[in-house]
């Protein structure tokens, strides 16, 4: 697979990198279902006022009063690109990252004015302190427990001091895992992990990120599990 290397906000090029087995299976699975997924979920925020409000809060936290230059924010696990598009409409410089090359291609078609790149949150090939924020909605759900610490450590490393992180994930009264072999009529091999807000918050704290707020939404429509959202920030003071 590819991750990306950034030498400035407008210079991004793919580089080869080792990827764990679960990243490869996630990539292959989303490549297989990309068209159906994008058609079924072109903008999952359209009917979700709470999620849109949380994204607005994230935007407000990103903006630093008096800052001469706004570092770009990353939508990690960008899928069809609708979250990146909303961040762009809010006036933030943003790029999307997704593990699936096919999903990235569809996002570029749907939002030709935005940048989308193939990459993995397990290997953020970015210089230290270059992102003004990270959004990861329903993308850590495919990361095994033993990889979460390094993922969040990577978030901490690439964020500028004071920058926020917004996470969204399926939740419940306890942590769990399910393996899917089919979606949209396509054969896949995809693990889903659901976690309590406390579990994810503990990983964020261990990575050096400060919890700002947590929200739990009850299932709606065909959803089977509650949705949890955590806002955290990299401490503003140096060396923390």
């Amino acid at each position: 697979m590819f991750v990306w290397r950034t030498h400035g906000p407008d210079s991004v090029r793919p580089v080869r990198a080792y990827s764990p087995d679960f990243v490869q299976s996630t990539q292959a699975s989303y490549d297989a279902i990309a068209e159906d997924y994008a058609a079924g979920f072109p903008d999952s925020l359209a009917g979700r006022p709470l999620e849109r409000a949380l994204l607005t809060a994230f935007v407000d936290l990103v903006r630093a009063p008096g800052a001469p230059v706004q570092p770009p924010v990353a939508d990690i696990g960008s899928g069809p690109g609708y979250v990146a598009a909303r961040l762009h409409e809010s006036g933030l410089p943003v790029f999307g990252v997704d593990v699936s090359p096919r999903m990235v291609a569809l996002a570029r078609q749907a939002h030709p004015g935005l940048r989308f790149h193939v990459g993995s949150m397990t290997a953020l090939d970015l210089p230290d302190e270059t992102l003004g924020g990270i959004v990861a909605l329903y993308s850590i759900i495919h990361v095994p427990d033993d990889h979460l610490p390094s993922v969040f450590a990577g978030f901490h490393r690439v964020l500028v001091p004071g920058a926020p992180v917004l996470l969204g994930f399926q939740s419940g009264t306890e942590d769990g895992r399910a393996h899917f072999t089919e979606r949209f009529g396509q054969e896949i091999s995809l693990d889903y992990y659901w976690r309590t807000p406390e579990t994810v918050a503990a990983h964020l704290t261990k990575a050096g990120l400060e919890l700002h707020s947590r929200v739990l939404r009850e299932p709606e429509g065909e959803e089977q599990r509650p949705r949890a959202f955590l806002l955290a920030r990299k401490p503003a003071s140096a060396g923390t």
Side-chain angles (χ1 to χ4, degrees):
M1 65 167 291
F2 287 95
V3 295
W4 72 100
R5 186 185 301 278
T6 300
H7 300 281
D10 298 317
S11 175
V12 180
R13 60 184 175 85
V15 295
R16 291 284 180 180
Y18 166 79
S19 58
D21 290 344
F22 79 89
V23 175
Q24 297 180 37
S25 62
T26 301
Q27 179 188 54
S29 296
Y30 275 99
D31 277 347
I33 65 174
E35 280 78 5
D36 290 326
Y37 185 98
F41 305 101
D43 185 355
S44 293
L45 296 179
R48 305 294 187 207
L50 177 62
E51 282 87 330
R52 296 199 307 273
L54 289 168
L55 204 62
T56 297
F58 170 83
V59 171
D60 289 344
L61 289 173
V62 166
R63 291 197 173 105
V69 178
Q70 172 64 62
V73 302
D75 174 18
I76 299 181
S78 49
Y82 55 85
V83 173
R86 287 182 179 270
L87 292 171
H88 174 72
E89 291 169 1
S90 298
L92 294 183
V94 58
F95 63 92
V97 179
D98 199 277
V99 72
S100 163
R102 186 59 192 147
M103 198 72 82
V104 166
L106 293 173
R108 289 171 175 169
Q109 292 174 15
H111 308 284
L114 300 182
R115 293 185 295 139
F116 295 93
H117 311 284
V118 180
S120 169
M121 68 175 69
T122 64
L124 294 176
D125 197 4
L126 291 163
D128 295 354
E129 299 188 355
T130 52
L131 292 184
I134 290 174
V135 174
L137 297 184
Y138 307 110
S139 50
I140 67 167
I141 62 173
H142 301 304
V143 178
D145 293 340
D146 57 346
H147 284 265
L148 272 185
S150 62
V151 165
F152 290 158
F155 286 5
H156 182 279
R157 179 184 64 80
V158 300
L159 289 169
V160 300
V165 177
L166 173 61
L167 303 177
F169 51 95
Q170 285 88 344
S171 189
T173 57
E174 59 184 14
D175 299 347
R177 169 186 172 273
H179 181 74
F180 283 73
T181 58
E182 182 273 333
R183 280 198 73 184
F184 301 105
Q186 299 291 333
E187 182 178 342
I188 62 171
S189 179
L190 195 57
D191 288 326
Y192 289 78
Y193 298 85
W194 58 90
R195 300 177 173 102
T196 67
E198 292 74 21
T199 294
V200 179
H203 282 296
L204 289 170
T205 300
K206 288 179 181 177
L209 297 163
E210 298 176 342
L211 189 64
H212 179 278
S213 55
R214 68 184 78 190
V215 176
L216 188 66
R217 175 174 66 72
E218 294 303 314
E220 296 180 356
E222 297 181 356
E223 296 173 348
Q224 300 298 313
R225 296 187 173 278
R227 266 44 177 174
F229 304 92
L230 299 182
L231 264 170
R233 301 182 78 167
K234 181 173 180 175
S237 58
T240 58

